[in-house]
Amino acid sequence: MKLELIIVGNELLQGKTHESNGFWLASFLLSRKIKLTKMSIIADTIEEIQASVKLAMKNNDVVLLSGGLGPTRDDVTKWALGELFDKDIIKNQEVLKIVSEQYEKRGKDYKQAKARYEEFPIDFKPIKNPVGLAPGLFFETNEKKLVLAAPGVPREFKVMFEEEIYPLLEKNIEAKEQKRELFVIRTKGIGEEYIFHHLTPHLWTELSQFGSVSSLPQIMNVDIAVLLEGDIQEKKKQITELITTSALNEYVWHYGSEKLEEIILMHAKEKKITFGFAESCTGGLNAS
C-alpha cells in the first residue's frame, strides 16, 4: 500500500513553525505494510490542496493530509476536499455529537463555539480526535483510493494516526504484503568515503542483495542501513556474518537502530548497575 503525505500550512513555508509530522510518520510506517512514497508542504489554499490531492491519487493508494482542519479562516482543507469530490458541505449530526462530547470533556459548551466543525462534506466519514477538538476526515473514491485528513498539531496527528487512522488502513492492506524493517550497522572512527571506496569497495553491492542500502553519516560515525523484506531474521543473520568477516568489522560498535544511551541502559539493567547524578551546569541533561 502506497501513501503520500501532504502537509498544509503557510506557517511552515514561512518558517514560523517546525514540521515534525512527516518525520514521525516516516519512522512509524517503516516497519509496517505501508510505504510512504512522498511528503510535501503546501500553502493552505483550496487550489493548492486540490491540485496536490489530484496528483497524489495518480500514484498512491492513500492520500493523507495534515493540517487545515481548525476553526480559523485559513483552515480550508475540508472545504477543498468537498469541492474536489463534488460533495456539498452540510451539518453532520454524527460529527456534531463527537465534537460536543470533546468540548464537554473540557468543561465547555460547543453551542457557544463558532468552530463549524459539524459542517462536513457529504459521504465523508469523521475520524475521532482522541486528544483534540477538530475531527479528521475519511473518504473512499470510486477508484478505491483512500483520502484522509488529520489535524496538523503534532500530538493530535500522532495519536490520531496510531489509534484511529492506522487501524482503519490495516483493514485495506492485502494479507500478501510483507513487513519491512530497517537493519542498521553502526560504525565508529571511519568516514563513508573510506568505507565504500577503500576499505570495502564491494560492500554496497553485497548488501544490496538483501535490500535497499543507504549510508547515513553522523557527526562522529556512519550508519549503514539496509531495508529488509521477507525473511527478515535470516537476512539479518546473513548480513551480520558478511560484516563480521569483512575489514569493516573492527569499526562496528552495534547492530540495530538503538542510540548509545539506550544500549548503555540495556547493559546496565542486565548487570544490575544503577546510576546516580549530581548535576548543575548541564541542567539535568545527563539524567534525562
Side-chain angles (χ1 to χ4, degrees):
M1 177 179 280
K2 296 180 180 179
L3 182 150
E4 179 171 331
L5 174 64
I6 300 172
I7 304 158
V8 182
N10 286 337
E11 68 277 7
L12 296 167
L13 294 173
Q14 296 166 357
K16 296 178 180 177
T17 305
H18 177 72
E19 202 295 304
S20 59
N21 290 339
F23 176 79
W24 176 84
L25 184 65
S27 302
F28 180 84
L29 292 179
L30 185 61
S31 61
R32 292 168 173 83
K33 298 178 181 181
I34 298 177
K35 181 180 182 181
L36 180 61
T37 62
K38 182 181 178 180
M39 62 176 79
S40 56
I41 301 175
I42 65 171
D44 43 25
T45 67
I46 288 178
E47 297 77 16
E48 188 74 20
I49 293 171
Q50 291 176 343
S52 298
V53 172
K54 280 183 181 179
L55 184 61
M57 287 195 300
K58 291 181 179 180
N59 304 310
N60 297 276
D61 308 295
V62 182
V63 180
L64 173 62
L65 294 99
S66 163
L69 297 182
T72 57
R73 289 186 178 182
D74 61 345
D75 293 312
V76 296
T77 296
K78 68 178 176 182
W79 311 97
L81 294 177
E83 184 178 293
L84 176 62
F85 296 106
D86 197 24
K87 302 294 182 181
D88 291 337
I89 304 289
I90 64 170
K91 289 189 177 182
N92 186 307
Q93 293 304 310
E94 181 184 358
V95 178
L96 178 60
K97 182 176 182 295
I98 291 172
V99 176
S100 296
E101 290 175 352
Q102 291 293 77
Y103 269 72
E104 287 175 9
K105 289 179 181 177
R106 292 163 172 76
K108 299 179 180 180
D109 184 0
Y110 182 62
K111 293 179 181 179
Q112 304 300 318
K114 298 180 180 180
R116 302 172 67 186
Y117 290 135
E118 75 278 12
E119 296 183 19
F120 227 69
I122 293 175
D123 295 331
F124 277 63
K125 298 178 181 179
I127 303 174
K128 291 183 179 180
N129 185 341
V131 293
L133 296 173
L137 295 86
F138 170 67
F139 179 70
E140 184 172 356
T141 71
N142 294 331
E143 295 77 26
K144 301 299 181 183
K145 302 285 186 175
L146 307 181
V147 180
L148 305 100
V153 179
R155 179 168 176 264
E156 294 182 34
F157 179 87
K158 177 179 181 294
V159 175
M160 180 182 284
F161 193 88
E162 285 182 324
E163 298 184 9
E164 303 292 336
I165 295 178
Y166 185 72
L168 190 156
L169 295 179
E170 268 193 313
K171 297 176 182 177
N172 293 274
I173 298 175
E174 295 183 18
K176 65 180 181 181
E177 295 193 53
Q178 299 176 326
K179 282 191 175 183
R180 300 177 298 154
E181 182 177 328
L182 196 66
F183 185 49
V184 182
I185 305 152
R186 313 204 70 179
T187 70
K188 57 177 173 58
I190 190 171
E192 65 174 347
E193 186 273 337
Y194 189 76
I195 292 175
F196 294 107
H197 293 289
H198 300 283
L199 186 68
T200 50
H202 303 295
L203 181 62
W204 195 288
T205 301
E206 293 171 336
L207 290 175
S208 294
Q209 65 181 310
F210 301 103
S212 175
V213 181
S214 56
S215 177
L216 311 171
Q218 312 292 325
I219 295 176
M220 300 293 289
N221 60 290
V222 177
D223 291 346
I224 303 169
V226 187
L227 186 59
L228 305 178
E229 294 182 1
D231 192 343
I232 292 176
Q233 295 307 317
E234 178 59 27
K235 289 182 178 180
K236 282 184 179 181
K237 179 182 177 183
Q238 294 178 18
I239 291 173
T240 304
E241 291 176 352
L242 172 66
I243 298 298
T244 53
T245 56
S246 74
L248 183 64
N249 184 54
E250 64 177 290
Y251 299 96
V252 175
W253 66 271
H254 183 62
Y255 291 94
S257 57
E258 293 81 10
K259 296 179 181 179
L260 179 60
E261 297 93 323
E262 294 178 90
I263 296 168
I264 290 172
L265 290 176
M266 178 182 70
H267 287 301
K269 288 177 181 179
E270 291 175 355
K271 299 177 182 294
K272 297 183 179 180
I273 295 173
T274 59
F275 295 92
F277 292 96
E279 298 192 62
S280 177
C281 62
T282 66
L285 182 61
N286 289 332
S288 67

